[in-house]
Amino acid sequence: MPAHRPSRPRSPLAGPSTGPSPPFPIPLSGPIVKGFGRGSRELGIPTANIPLAGLSVGGHEEVESGVYFGWAGVDVDDQGRRQKSGGGDGKVGGVWPMVMSIGWNPFYKNSVRSVEVHILHGFAQDFYGARMNLLILGFVRPEYDYVDKESLVEDIRTDIDVARRSLEREAYARLKDNPYLVQFEGGEHEQEIAN
């Protein structure tokens, strides 16, 4: 059972200043699927969810439940419109900072583990079925249980701030250009999962 949220102040950064250390970076990809519908509606923090099966990429299905940060490449534009390969400028999709939860969400008493990604960008529309490639660069905190929704939202907002500050450091910022993040070809089987 996850511990309750500690009362001590949290660190403003995650990960060593020299950059990701093993087991990071961890690549993870999959189609964006509908989640529980709580991120936007109840919490005001929209998420892009991928199937839990995505954790098997690179043999990381046993990754610890908790909150992580890194970069998210999605085959959509800044508004959330799907992008097709072979565009005039050669660019497909974009890369944005992200913070993500892998776990059981004990506040909601989920019966299944989930992968929920909050992309630190405001999109105009949903993009279910789009392909998302994640480069997980570090661990922010373990999964906690909460006594109320306000405490949960407060911690998520802190997670977002920690992720943003952590990714601004040069050793993490340069990984935004990793070619893996915008390689969306070959995900046809993932589209079937999303539909």
Side-chain angles (χ1 to χ4, degrees):
M1 177 140 205
H4 281 280
R5 168 187 184 210
S7 59
R8 69 183 180 277
R10 292 186 42 199
S11 173
L13 294 169
S17 61
T18 55
S21 61
F24 305 104
I26 298 173
L28 180 62
S29 68
I32 296 172
V33 297
K34 286 188 183 259
F36 298 105
R38 296 183 295 238
S40 291
R41 186 180 70 241
E42 287 186 36
L43 304 176
I45 303 167
T47 59
N49 306 300
I50 61 174
L52 187 61
L55 286 175
S56 64
V57 173
H60 294 285
E61 55 274 330
E62 296 302 321
V63 70
E64 178 182 354
S65 290
V67 177
Y68 296 82
F69 73 98
W71 296 105
V74 187
D75 64 350
V76 299
D77 66 12
D78 283 342
Q79 298 299 308
R81 294 180 297 250
R82 293 293 303 276
Q83 300 291 289
K84 301 290 183 204
S85 59
D89 63 1
K91 183 180 179 195
V92 178
V95 177
W96 296 275
M98 66 84 180
V99 62
M100 65 185 292
S101 167
I102 300 173
W104 300 92
N105 299 311
F107 178 75
Y108 288 104
K109 300 180 179 18
N110 288 359
S111 60
V112 295
R113 204 165 180 227
S114 61
V115 177
E116 299 172 282
V117 179
H118 175 66
I119 299 172
L120 281 61
H121 178 80
F123 294 97
Q125 64 189 44
D126 292 335
F127 37 91
Y128 298 116
R131 171 83 180 261
M132 182 162 57
N133 296 333
L134 303 173
L135 197 57
I136 304 169
L137 301 180
F139 185 74
V140 175
R141 65 172 173 86
E143 182 174 58
Y144 297 134
D145 198 355
Y146 294 88
V147 295
D148 56 45
K149 186 167 51 173
E150 292 74 24
S151 297
L152 170 62
V153 171
E154 181 182 327
D155 254 12
I156 294 171
R157 297 252 180 247
T158 300
D159 297 336
I160 291 167
D161 291 342
V162 168
R164 190 180 313 276
R165 279 191 298 270
S166 298
L167 289 167
E168 288 172 350
R169 296 176 295 173
E170 177 58 32
Y172 295 89
R174 70 173 172 245
L175 293 169
K176 179 180 182 180
D177 296 325
N178 187 310
Y180 159 78
L181 289 165
V182 290
Q183 292 173 351
F184 301 112
E185 299 300 317
E188 293 81 13
H189 68 285
E190 294 170 346
Q191 286 295 354
E192 295 172 16
I193 295 170
N195 296 330

